Amino acid sequence: MMTPGAQEEKNNVQKVEKKNNILPLSGNERTMNLNPLILTNIQSSHYFKVNLYELKTYHEVIDEIYYKVTHLEPWEKGSRKTAGQTGMCGGVRGVGAGGIVSTAFCLLYKLFTLKLTRKQVNGLITHPDSPYIRALGFMYIRFTQPPADLWDWYDEYLEDPEELDVKAGGGQVMCIGDMLRHFLSKLDWFSTLFPRIPVPIQQGLEKKLSARFPNPLGSGNRSATKLPAQGLNPPAAAPVVTEHHSSGSGRGAKEARHIPDEEVSFGEAERVSSRMRRSTSPANGSGRVEKKERDRDRDRREERNRSSERHRSSERHRSSERHRSSERHKSVERHRSPERHNSRGREKSRDVERSRDVERSRDVERSRDVERSRDADRGRDYERSRDVEKVRDRSRDRWRSGYGREEKTKAHGDSRERNSGGGREKSRSHREKESSKYSYSHSRSGKDFAEDLLRERERQRKEDKHRERERERNSRS
């Protein structure tokens, strides 16, 4: 069992570790010291507002960096048009017309919103999976940490040989150590600027760099053979000196001609100076100079071959990395798919329940309408039967009344026949015809009335059924 003193000491150690784990922030704590145009494009981009909003943890952001980041420029290739802009509107300052902000800077600002701890930043800069995860960690340090702490962060990685392509669209491979030396000595990074370092701290950093790397352009520097990248302050081309011999004075007049940057390549100054030395050297030393020139050409060819081999190996490494990233992405998708499937299943079940409720309500309304139509039909049938009965009663009464008159007429005719004598047969037949005609006319008129009434009722019933069907059709639609 732990004693109270030991428990208190352990709590104090945990408090100190927790306090040391909190990173201080230098400069503006809201903008991360980013260029205002870049920050505005990040905050208004669909990728940051929609895709990155769903990432809530540090590890999810690291996975996104691994799958999506391919360069370290602030803008995507070809999205900014800076032709014709000069001064503060030029592309170097990054305050001209905006473009499509890069995935790397969107994820860099996403890391800033997570308020990383010291342990998490150390995890970024030592991550073994991708050099772009490490590079964004170092860039996060350059934008957010106090200038006095930069050397402590970068010291053990200044000679890191791991390579990455920092340019949008490819073509600018540099190692981690060269990139960190650039972070410490320059403010420009492609078309944006790092936070300024105070002059005394900058001087101290330059002294430490010069003491550690006394010959930055020597053979020990890996980046000496690479072409300078756009925005990384390429060294000025050496002027070409041509010597013209004057016939009058006997002394050589030197005249310098500047070669434009797009015409010069690495080693141009050495090549021109060697030609000049060969042209001015004595005849007995020309063979020695030519041998040196051949040696230099051979060294250059070998260096080009080595650089092409490095490029091929980096391509093979990238292809294997893409394959691994696709496999990891598939595994992550397989891991996330059950959760998405469950959520989609719940949504589908809710939709099915809603559709069932709607169908039930429609069925209830439909059954009510059918019951009402049946009740109406029953009422109409009852009324129709009553009307038929009435018509039958009237026709029966009329028929009876006609039959009574016929009997009276017949009795009166018999009495007259008994009285008249000779014209008895003729009057009887005449009376029978008249009575039958009278009774037939009266009975026929009653039947016609009944048939007309039945036809009218049938027509009305058909119209009611037609209206009912129309009403049901409208309620279903």
Side-chain angles (χ1 to χ4, degrees), residues 4-21:
Q7 182 68 30
E8 184 176 0
E9 184 178 356
K10 182 178 179 181
N11 293 335
N12 292 333
V13 170
Q14 290 177 354
K15 288 180 181 178
V16 170
E17 289 179 353
K18 186 176 181 181
K19 185 176 180 181
N20 292 335
N21 198 28

Side-chain angles (χ1 to χ4, degrees), residues 270-414:
E270 293 182 2
R271 217 178 286 114
V272 172
S273 61
S274 64
R275 291 191 195 121
M276 184 180 65
R277 286 195 301 271
R278 188 167 63 249
S279 62
T280 57
S281 60
N284 55 4
S286 60
R288 199 181 308 117
V289 172
E290 289 177 359
K291 183 179 179 180
K292 289 182 180 179
E293 184 64 24
R294 285 195 298 270
D295 294 339
R296 287 195 190 97
D297 292 336
R298 185 177 63 253
D299 293 339
R300 291 191 196 100
R301 285 195 299 271
E302 292 176 356
E303 185 63 33
R304 288 194 203 98
N305 294 332
R306 283 195 293 270
S307 63
S308 62
E309 287 295 329
R310 283 196 296 270
H311 182 67
R312 291 194 198 98
S313 62
S314 63
E315 287 296 329
R316 287 193 293 270
H317 178 69
R318 284 196 202 107
S319 63
S320 61
E321 285 294 328
R322 291 193 198 99
H323 181 68
R324 277 193 297 241
S325 66
S326 63
E327 291 296 328
R328 291 177 186 171
H329 184 66
K330 289 176 184 175
S331 63
V332 171
E333 286 297 326
R334 285 196 294 271
H335 177 69
R336 293 177 181 171
S337 60
E339 293 294 330
R340 295 175 182 170
H341 180 69
N342 294 336
S343 63
R344 288 173 186 165
R346 288 193 291 271
E347 290 295 330
K348 288 181 180 178
S349 61
R350 288 172 191 161
D351 295 338
V352 169
E353 289 295 330
R354 294 192 195 100
S355 62
R356 285 177 182 172
D357 294 337
V358 172
E359 289 295 330
R360 290 193 198 101
S361 62
R362 287 179 181 172
D363 292 339
V364 170
E365 291 294 330
R366 199 177 297 116
S367 61
R368 288 176 183 170
D369 294 337
V370 171
E371 289 295 329
R372 292 194 197 99
S373 64
R374 287 177 182 172
D375 294 339
D377 289 338
R378 291 192 195 99
R380 291 192 202 100
D381 293 339
Y382 179 70
E383 292 293 332
R384 193 180 301 112
S385 62
R386 287 184 62 186
D387 293 338
V388 170
E389 290 295 329
K390 287 178 183 179
V391 169
R392 286 177 181 171
D393 292 340
R394 285 178 196 152
S395 63
R396 196 180 297 116
D397 291 340
R398 288 177 183 174
W399 184 80
R400 285 173 183 172
S401 61
Y403 180 75
R405 285 197 196 109
E406 185 179 354
E407 290 296 326
K408 288 179 183 180
T409 307
K410 188 176 181 182
H412 183 63
D414 290 341

Side-chain angles (χ1 to χ4, degrees), residues 404-428:
R405 285 197 196 109
E406 185 179 354
E407 290 296 326
K408 288 179 183 180
T409 307
K410 188 176 181 182
H412 183 63
D414 290 341
S415 63
R416 287 182 66 185
E417 183 182 356
R418 285 193 298 270
N419 294 330
S420 63
R424 184 167 42 196
E425 292 297 330
K426 183 178 181 180
S427 62
R428 182 184 297 172

Side-chain angles (χ1 to χ4, degrees), residues 8 12 18 40 62 65 72 111 115 138 153 156 160 174 210 225 231 257 278 309 336 344 353 415 427 437 453:
E8 184 176 0
N12 292 333
K18 186 176 181 181
T40 304
I62 286 182
I65 296 171
L72 297 179
L111 290 172
K115 304 299 181 186
F138 288 122
W153 280 105
E156 59 180 306
D160 196 313
M174 64 190 309
S210 61
T225 60
R257 183 177 68 86
R278 188 167 63 249
E309 287 295 329
R336 293 177 181 171
R344 288 173 186 165
E353 289 295 330
S415 63
S427 62
K437 182 180 180 182
L453 185 60

Side-chain angles (χ1 to χ4, degrees), residues 103-150:
T103 306
F105 270 69
C106 287
L107 287 164
L108 182 65
Y109 189 71
K110 179 65 179 180
L111 290 172
F112 177 73
T113 60
L114 296 178
K115 304 299 181 186
L116 300 182
T117 62
R118 188 180 298 274
K119 183 178 179 181
Q120 289 172 340
V121 174
N122 281 318
L124 281 176
I125 63 178
T126 58
H127 205 282
D129 289 346
S130 172
Y132 293 102
I133 299 175
R134 301 183 62 200
L136 283 183
F138 288 122
M139 197 173 288
Y140 180 86
I141 292 170
R142 183 63 179 87
F143 273 105
T144 61
Q145 293 306 293
D149 298 340
L150 293 178

Side-chain angles (χ1 to χ4, degrees), residues 17-30:
E17 289 179 353
K18 186 176 181 181
K19 185 176 180 181
N20 292 335
N21 198 28
I22 298 174
L23 276 178
L25 293 177
S26 175
N28 195 324
E29 296 184 0
R30 186 179 62 84

